Amino acid sequence: MPNLSPALAPLVLLLCSNVFMTFAWYGHLKFKGAPLWAAILVSWGIALIEYCFAVPANRIGSAVYSGAELKAMQEVITLSVFAVFSVAYLGERLTVNHVVGFALIAAGAFFVFKGPLR
């Protein structure tokens, strides 16, 4: 990503990565009549695209972020993408329990980025 800084590029790439991975893992739930083997093959194909974003995100991001920070970033992005996906694509309702659970994971990410507590 030549026009993005090493601090911003991983965010953009991980967002793209997570959109593909969410479809790979959960998109087939709308097609429960399709054979399982077909869902697996299609999911693998989508996951390959996901890796084409995730690997560069982590490689570029490692110049700025620690492994723990990259993983925390990944988790928060994953949950954000999944929340939108579950409502918009799967037609599921987002409940207060979901929001609280996701917020607690985001709080964990905050502490990863905060650095050592003294």
Side-chain angles (χ1 to χ4, degrees), residues 53-117:
F53 288 104
V55 171
N58 289 307
R59 178 75 59 99
I60 294 166
S62 69
V64 177
Y65 303 108
S66 70
E69 289 171 334
L70 287 166
K71 183 60 180 170
M73 189 184 311
Q74 161 76 17
E75 293 303 327
V76 170
I77 293 170
T78 296
L79 290 174
S80 301
V81 168
F82 182 78
V84 172
F85 175 87
S86 66
V87 171
Y89 184 79
L90 296 177
E92 297 178 353
R93 207 171 60 101
L94 196 62
T95 67
V96 173
N97 293 23
H98 297 132
V99 173
V100 170
F102 293 171
L104 289 172
I105 292 169
F110 167 79
F111 283 103
V112 169
F113 277 88
K114 180 79 174 133
L117 296 176

Side-chain angles (χ1 to χ4, degrees), residues 23-66:
F23 273 97
W25 283 14
Y26 303 102
H28 60 87
L29 296 179
K30 281 189 103 168
F31 304 98
K32 292 181 182 177
L36 183 57
W37 65 266
I40 291 168
L41 288 178
V42 169
S43 292
W44 274 6
I46 295 169
L48 175 62
I49 299 167
E50 181 268 341
Y51 271 77
C52 291
F53 288 104
V55 171
N58 289 307
R59 178 75 59 99
I60 294 166
S62 69
V64 177
Y65 303 108
S66 70

